[in-house]
Amino acid sequence: MFPYAVKEIRTRTALSPSSMKELKYAVNPYSGCTHSCLYCYAMDMTPLRPGDREWGKTVYVKRNFIDILKMEVKRSKRGLVGMSTITDPYQPVETKYRLARETLRVLLTHGFRVSVQTKSSLVLRDFDLISEHTNISDVGTTITTMDGKLSRKIEPLTPGPRARMKIVETASKENIRRWIFYGPIIRGFNDEEENNASIIELAESTGTRIIIDRYNSYTTPDIMLEKNGIKVKDVEYNRWWRKFSKEFRDACSKRNVMCNLESEEWFFQNLDITRTLF
Ligand code: SF4
């Protein structure tokens, strides 16, 4: 059915403490991600993987994930849950297993705040559930570039920019809390003026906040990107990022679009527990 290996496994935990300052927990009902982005840091962080060159060719499905989650939510303190942190919850295998939907349902009905991040318009399927819990949920859409060809180069198996625009636009129409994650931004690849302007325009027209982050170096993604002719080893990187982020944020201010650096999120999160994660 799928053009990659799907392996069903069992897990002992579902709700994991998160190492990200802005999250209390992370949930990852799948391990591995068939979206196969070249820059994916999960390649270096996913314990279950058949090898770097096989990244994206196998996805592990935690078959008892929901049973474990149902037990854990009864005895765990409420808090913000990130779904997912090292895999896209709405990768194609979700059409069959529906673990992301059930995870959302269990968490939201037990009063946990959930922040979803995805690149896939399959999340639209679950807007019914999210709409019923708008005060404790938000949806983040990752957009690296509005240029479909560039996107294919670094995210070969993800839904393209148009599909992602649709997520943001629909969330706006349905009053779902939302944010655009513009990243990873790679110097000389997707940091062009035109791209910036299109993303700001989308944010402005939909009243959506933007979070920006540059590409952060990891061993395997560095190799994958460089192999594909995308330069990431760059001594000017810090200087470029300071300039880029300042100019981008200034451009956002002029259009009344709120923009934050990813590294600032924990601070905002601590200011107001009921606000959108990003
Ligand atoms: S969608 Fe996210 S988790 Fe999946 S390969 Fe791309 S970066 Fe990695």
Side-chain angles (χ1 to χ4, degrees), residues 124-262:
L124 296 171
R125 180 202 64 189
D126 293 348
F127 273 17
D128 58 338
L129 270 178
I130 294 168
S131 299
E132 286 169 14
H133 299 89
T134 46
N135 56 333
I136 52 169
S137 60
D138 60 78
V139 175
T141 307
T142 303
I143 299 179
T144 44
T145 170
M146 296 296 244
D147 178 333
K149 279 191 193 148
L150 278 191
S151 169
R152 281 279 156 274
K153 207 165 171 190
I154 52 170
E155 313 162 318
L157 301 177
T158 58
R162 280 193 180 281
R164 299 191 218 174
M165 280 175 76
K166 191 171 175 206
I167 303 172
V168 180
E169 287 163 353
T170 311
S172 170
K173 277 187 205 133
E174 298 190 13
N175 284 323
I176 288 171
R177 292 183 187 206
R178 60 205 168 274
W179 41 281
I180 293 167
F181 178 76
Y182 176 19
I185 305 168
I186 303 170
R187 184 182 181 208
F189 182 76
N190 59 336
D191 61 342
E192 284 184 353
E193 193 69 41
E194 203 182 322
N195 194 41
N196 298 339
S198 308
I199 290 174
I200 294 171
E201 196 176 307
L202 173 65
E204 185 185 22
S205 65
T206 54
T208 305
R209 193 156 77 97
I210 304 177
I211 310 300
I212 55 170
D213 199 14
R214 63 179 165 176
Y215 171 73
N216 291 299
S217 184
Y218 288 92
T219 310
T220 312
D222 282 3
I223 296 168
M224 301 281 279
L225 289 163
E226 298 255 351
K227 254 192 205 164
N228 282 274
I230 300 161
K231 197 172 164 232
V232 289
K233 308 266 188 210
D234 183 343
V235 287
E236 293 293 313
Y237 219 63
N238 287 337
R239 193 135 58 106
W240 157 78
W241 178 244
R242 277 194 296 276
K243 183 171 181 294
F244 175 90
S245 52
K246 183 184 178 314
E247 289 175 0
F248 186 83
R249 294 177 85 173
D250 288 348
C252 284
S253 298
K254 283 185 194 144
R255 307 285 288 268
N256 286 322
V257 170
M258 194 174 171
C259 173
N260 299 114
L261 300 176
E262 200 279 334

Side-chain angles (χ1 to χ4, degrees), residues 32-37 39-42 55 85-88 119 158:
C33 183
T34 55
H35 279 166
S36 306
C37 306
Y39 53 76
C40 180
Y41 64 77
W55 180 251
T85 51
I86 50 168
T87 178
D88 193 319
K119 297 184 173 101
T158 58

Side-chain angles (χ1 to χ4, degrees), residues 263-275:
S263 53
E264 294 169 343
E265 283 313 297
W266 68 273
F267 173 75
F268 283 101
Q269 189 55 222
N270 285 344
L271 280 182
D272 177 358
I273 199 70
T274 61
R275 71 186 302 267

Side-chain angles (χ1 to χ4, degrees), residues 2-165:
F2 295 109
Y4 42 81
V6 178
K7 296 191 178 166
E8 296 182 1
I9 58 170
R10 294 181 70 76
T11 185
R12 275 189 248 160
T13 55
L15 207 52
S16 314
S18 174
S19 57
M20 295 169 78
K21 281 183 186 171
E22 60 269 36
L23 300 175
K24 187 166 178 66
Y25 305 105
V27 284
N28 288 283
Y30 303 106
S31 184
C33 183
T34 55
H35 279 166
S36 306
C37 306
L38 301 188
Y39 53 76
C40 180
Y41 64 77
M43 276 189 271
D44 286 353
M45 292 186 174
T46 302
L48 271 173
R49 60 194 165 104
D52 303 334
R53 264 178 279 160
E54 295 300 306
W55 180 251
K57 294 187 181 149
T58 305
V59 59
Y60 295 87
V61 178
K62 300 175 188 173
R63 280 313 300 267
N64 60 335
F65 192 85
I66 302 302
D67 293 339
I68 300 285
L69 183 65
K70 281 179 181 166
M71 287 192 283
E72 289 180 345
V73 291
K74 286 184 196 153
R75 57 172 191 250
S76 303
K77 271 193 173 172
R78 302 295 173 266
L80 178 58
V81 185
M83 186 177 98
S84 304
T85 51
I86 50 168
T87 178
D88 193 319
Y90 291 99
Q91 57 180 304
V93 75
E94 167 65 11
T95 54
K96 176 177 176 191
Y97 289 95
R98 299 169 73 91
L99 294 184
R101 181 174 175 87
E102 198 54 16
T103 296
L104 254 184
R105 198 188 61 73
V106 171
L107 290 171
L108 293 172
T109 54
H110 283 82
F112 285 80
R113 287 184 59 219
V114 185
S115 186
V116 177
Q117 184 171 1
T118 186
K119 297 184 173 101
S120 170
S121 43
L122 181 55
V123 70
L124 296 171
R125 180 202 64 189
D126 293 348
F127 273 17
D128 58 338
L129 270 178
I130 294 168
S131 299
E132 286 169 14
H133 299 89
T134 46
N135 56 333
I136 52 169
S137 60
D138 60 78
V139 175
T141 307
T142 303
I143 299 179
T144 44
T145 170
M146 296 296 244
D147 178 333
K149 279 191 193 148
L150 278 191
S151 169
R152 281 279 156 274
K153 207 165 171 190
I154 52 170
E155 313 162 318
L157 301 177
T158 58
R162 280 193 180 281
R164 299 191 218 174
M165 280 175 76

